[in-house]
Amino acid sequence: MNVSIRTAAVADTLSIAKIVGELGYSASPSDIATRLPLLLDSDRYFLAVATGSDGGLLGVINAERRLNIESGLSYEITGLVVASIVRRAGVGSALVAAAEAWARSHGAEVMRVRSNGGRPEAHMFYARLGFGLPKTQHCYAKALQA
């Protein structure tokens, strides 16, 4: 499959909303339109899309440079979604490689990713790309009242 990777653009809003919806994320086109400029305007984030030969959007990846007091600087894939019709065709691998190149260009030695416990196919995908499982964690959330 012929795949090109490029920086995401505001014009990708509707396509990104459609693709992330395939995995059950409830981000509306309005949500995406609000978030895209914030991500694109900061060198802390990497946001890229994969397109096919016809220019149609096939996938999206988001990565972040994080600074933690206890562990220092780290790089993490914070989102990866590939359109269902092209999964297992190399799109996800190409997007991960682009995020890794971005992290390396900033001096990163390690890339991390967290994967939903209910997505075993994603776990196998990351393992095939050489990601190890150094620990497991629980993720807690608490609604904050205004």
Side-chain angles (χ1 to χ4, degrees), residues 17-134:
K18 180 181 175 188
I19 287 178
V20 300
E22 287 186 22
L23 282 185
Y25 294 106
S26 61
S28 70
S30 176
D31 294 332
I32 301 294
T34 299
R35 296 170 188 157
L36 264 173
L38 299 172
L39 293 165
L40 294 171
D41 290 344
S42 173
D43 66 355
R44 178 180 165 185
Y45 303 105
F46 175 80
L47 185 63
V49 294
T51 58
S53 55
D54 65 352
L57 203 115
L58 304 174
V60 60
I61 192 166
N62 189 186
E64 179 179 349
R65 181 173 56 237
R66 293 180 170 183
L67 180 60
N68 297 315
I69 194 72
E70 75 284 358
S71 59
L73 194 59
S74 66
Y75 291 78
E76 184 170 324
I77 295 169
T78 55
L80 172 63
V81 182
V82 173
S84 59
I85 61 169
V86 292
R87 289 191 191 133
R88 295 186 174 84
V91 175
S93 298
L95 286 165
V96 169
E100 289 174 347
W102 167 78
R104 264 192 234 89
S105 76
H106 287 88
E109 295 177 4
V110 175
M111 176 68 89
R112 293 187 174 92
V113 63
R114 298 168 203 271
S115 182
N116 184 317
R119 294 202 169 118
E121 65 285 344
H123 306 164
M124 292 184 293
F125 167 76
Y126 290 119
R128 279 194 309 274
L129 294 181
F131 286 83
L133 186 62

